[in-house]
Structure formats: C-alpha cells, structure tokens
C-alpha cells in the first residue's frame, strides 16, 4: 500500500534555530514529490516539487531534498512567519494524478 | 492572477440535508480535484476531472457524494443526506501540468 509518513508531528523552534522536517514514502512508483505550506484556515500553498533522487530546490529559508526513500525540508534560521503546517505529498506513475498526502508537520517558531 | 476560489467559505447544515459546494478553478487549468481534510487527518482524495475524460471517482467515500464539472470549468461537489462524519474542510485544486493549486476550502459542519 502506498504510504507517506511525516515526522515529527509537531516541532517548536526558537527563531534562528535551524532544523529539518522528514517525509518518508513507500510507493510503487514515484512520479513526483510535493511540499506545501498550510496556514490555519487556508488552503495548502505550493512550495516545491521534486522528481528524481538527488534533486534539490531552494526558496528563501527553505530547501527541499529528495532521496529514493525520503525527502527533507530544511529550514535555515527560521522566523516566526515560517510557523505553519508543512505537508508532503506524492504523485504516482500509475497514471493516477491525485496526490497522496502525509499528515503534516506543525511548525511553531517562537521569537 | 486569480487563484482557485471556493464557495461558500463556511457551511453549517443539519444532518440529513443536502449541500452543494462550488469550485472555480484557475482559468485555463484543465484538471480539477476535490479533497477532504478532516480534523487531525491528512488530505484525502475524492474525485478528479481532466478535460472531457470520464472523472476518476475512486476516492468518493459513498454514493451520497457526487460531483460534476460544467463546461470544463466550474465544479460542484454535492453531498446528499449529510451525516456528522461528513464534517470537514473540502478543498478544491486545479492544475495545468503537474502542480496542483488549492483554493481556501469550504468548512462544512453537520449538526
């Protein structure tokens, strides 16, 4: 069964304290891996998509990496405005276009 | 440009009533998705439309759920005879190639 697991469930950081969020996946065939950010009461906001092992993408304080079994979202020197839930999702090469989501990591960055 | 819009933003209904949720995708996007996000759970795929092809209904939880997409644009998700377990945030997304862009969601509460 295709599965996406995110850890930790929740993470509290001090402003400037770098850390990483993990997304491990067990799927029959990966087409792409997506990271989204979701603020309370809003829909997910697209951050990155990764397609092959070794690929990296960066945007401001965020950097996403991909291996054959997992992806990491590295947050460097976070700020309070980075507080949100970060969602990982995969699309499969079966032709099905729907995303399979993990349950998310709730990040809180304290000033 | 305009993003995905959904209406209503909030809906409170009584058990047994029917509800209709609307999604306006990004102009030009050929694919449209409905997901459900229950409290404390990840996003769950419901249904997918791609152009004029038959929709992928594999995620609909019961025959009380249905959706249509008119003119390749606006979509309506209908839940008949609502139950309390239908309470959730219903999210719509659209895409042209690969990346899914989400709307703000409709928060449904069934009393």
């Amino acid at each position: 069964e295709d599965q996406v697991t995110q850890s930790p469930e929740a993470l509290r950081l001090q402003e400037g304290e770098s850390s990483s969020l993990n997304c491990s996946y067990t799927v029959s065939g990966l087409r792409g891996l997506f990271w989204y950010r979701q603020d309370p009461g809003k829909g997910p906001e697209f951050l990155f998509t990764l397609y092959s092992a070794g690929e990296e993408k960066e945007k401001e304080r965020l950097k996403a990496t991909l291996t054959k079994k997992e992806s990491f979202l590295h947050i460097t020197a976070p700020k309070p405005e980075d507080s949100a839930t970060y969602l990982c999702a995969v699309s499969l090469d079966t032709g099905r276009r729907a995303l399979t989501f993990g349950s998310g990591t709730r990040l809180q960055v304290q000033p | 440009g305009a993003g995905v819009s959904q209406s209503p933003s909030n809906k409170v209904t009584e058990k047994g009533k029917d509800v209709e949720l609307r999604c306006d995708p990004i102009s030009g996007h050929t694919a449209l998705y409905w997901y459900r996000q229950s409290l404390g759970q990840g996003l769950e795929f419901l249904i997918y439309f791609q152009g004029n092809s038959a929709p992928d209904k594999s995620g609909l939880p019961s025959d009380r759920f249905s959706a249509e997409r008119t003119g390749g644009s606006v979509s309506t998700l209908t839940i008949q005879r609502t139950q309390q377990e239908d309470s959730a945030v219903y999210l719509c997304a659209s895409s042209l190639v690969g990346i899914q862009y989400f709307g703000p969601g409709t928060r449904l509460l069934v009393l």
Side-chain angles (χ1 to χ4, degrees):
Chain A
E1 182 184 345
D2 300 319
Q3 203 164 11
V4 179
T5 304
Q6 291 189 246
S7 62
E9 289 186 11
L11 180 63
R12 182 179 294 181
L13 300 174
Q14 291 296 123
E15 185 171 2
E17 179 186 2
S18 301
S19 188
S20 296
L21 313 182
N22 177 263
C23 171
S24 62
Y25 58 91
T26 307
V27 299
S28 50
L30 181 72
R31 186 167 183 269
L33 186 140
F34 300 79
W35 283 99
Y36 286 85
R37 167 190 172 130
Q38 187 172 27
D39 291 296
K42 296 189 176 181
E45 175 189 347
F46 171 74
L47 293 173
F48 303 108
T49 182
L50 303 163
Y51 292 104
S52 56
E55 190 174 359
E56 299 182 351
K57 294 273 180 73
E58 282 189 71
K59 179 181 178 181
E60 296 181 351
R61 296 177 292 282
L62 300 177
K63 178 180 174 180
T65 62
L66 181 65
T67 72
K68 289 186 177 180
K69 294 184 178 181
E70 59 192 347
S71 176
F72 291 94
L73 185 64
H74 306 278
I75 304 178
T76 302
K79 298 182 178 181
E81 53 262 42
D82 295 323
S83 298
T85 295
Y86 290 85
L87 299 171
C88 169
V90 298
S91 66
L92 306 180
D93 62 5
T94 57
R96 186 169 185 245
R97 292 294 179 260
L99 296 176
T100 301
F101 280 84
S103 54
T105 294
R106 294 188 313 278
L107 174 66
Q108 184 179 10
V109 182
Q110 296 183 316
Chain B
V4 177
S5 61
Q6 294 186 244
S7 61
S9 53
N10 293 280
K11 177 72 175 178
V12 181
T13 191
E14 294 179 348
K15 177 182 172 181
K17 300 277 189 180
D18 297 352
V19 295
E20 285 190 352
L21 312 180
R22 176 187 169 107
C23 172
D24 284 85
I26 294 171
S27 177
H29 280 193
T30 55
L32 187 148
Y33 307 78
W34 284 97
Y35 293 86
R36 177 169 70 175
Q37 187 172 34
S38 303
L39 190 62
Q41 297 189 19
L43 275 79
E44 170 193 17
F45 165 72
L46 297 177
I47 188 169
Y48 158 59
F49 296 90
Q50 173 62 60
N52 296 321
S53 302
D56 175 357
K57 303 179 182 180
S58 60
L60 295 178
S62 78
D63 58 8
R64 296 186 296 106
F65 289 72
S66 63
E68 63 177 18
R69 188 178 185 192
T70 54
S73 181
V74 172
S75 177
T76 302
L77 177 69
T78 301
I79 308 174
Q80 296 179 311
R81 305 180 302 282
T82 52
Q83 303 294 311
Q84 289 181 330
E85 59 262 29
D86 298 335
S87 296
V89 177
Y90 289 82
L91 290 158
C92 175
S94 71
S95 72
L96 183 57
V97 180
I99 299 169
Q100 295 181 27
Y101 295 91
F102 284 83
T106 293
R107 282 144 196 84
L108 175 65
L109 178 61
V110 182
L111 301 177

